[in-house]
Structure formats: C-alpha cells, structure tokens
Amino acid sequence: MDFVMDDRRQVYTRYGGVALPTDLGDGLAAYLPNTSFADQPYRVSAKFRCGGKERMIDIYLAQVAKGRDAIKDMTELMRIAQKRYGHLYNCTPGA
C-alpha cells in the first residue's frame, strides 16, 4: 500500500495537492485537470488504519458544484467514507 500511496502523493503534489488532516491518515486531495484523469479530475486518497490493519480509500469525482470548495468537500467525503467503512467492517478508523 505504501507504493500506491507514494505514487499518488507524487502525482497529487505535482498538481498542488493538499494534505488531509492527520486524523484521516496519510492522504491528499487534489484537482488534476488536463491529465489522463480529466474525466474525474477531483481526487482524494487516504491510507489509514482500521482495526489494526492498513486500509485505503480513493474517491474520484467528475465535477464539484460551482462555488464549492472542492478540497474541503473531498476532505469531508473522506471523513464520511472512513466512518462508514468502520461501521461496515466493525473497526475504528485511526486505530
């Protein structure tokens, strides 16, 4: 998983990616226009622990509503996704 996250970090950083809050694990959110990812340029990825195991969630969006803060919205979507993951798999994200 480290290899996958390192690869994403390199790409996202090249496009001004923003680190996620530490409570969401190791992750970034970015807008990747004019790339091979142009069909879903809004991206957020996080590697986190849940139930003592490393997990990873990626969320890709085609668009964000005009006037919205895409990075903030993707960060909150990741927070929701990790909480939901914890409920589904009976583990606590971050633990």
Side-chain angles (χ1 to χ4, degrees), residues 29-42:
Y31 174 62
L32 306 164
N34 306 317
T35 67
S36 59
F37 308 117
D39 61 330
Q40 294 177 315
Y42 297 94

Side-chain angles (χ1 to χ4, degrees), residues 11-55:
V11 174
Y12 291 12
T13 300
R14 205 172 321 140
Y15 288 89
V18 176
L20 296 178
T22 56
D23 65 309
L24 295 177
D26 178 19
L28 293 112
Y31 174 62
L32 306 164
N34 306 317
T35 67
S36 59
F37 308 117
D39 61 330
Q40 294 177 315
Y42 297 94
R43 295 176 171 246
V44 60
S45 298
K47 181 179 75 167
F48 63 102
R49 297 192 70 74
C50 199
K53 297 181 182 178
E54 286 190 337
R55 310 294 183 177

Side-chain angles (χ1 to χ4, degrees), residues 7 16 25 29 31 34 36 47 51 58 64-65 68 77 88-89:
D7 182 58
Y31 174 62
N34 306 317
S36 59
K47 181 179 75 167
D58 295 309
V64 173
R68 299 288 307 186
L77 283 171
L88 288 171
Y89 293 99

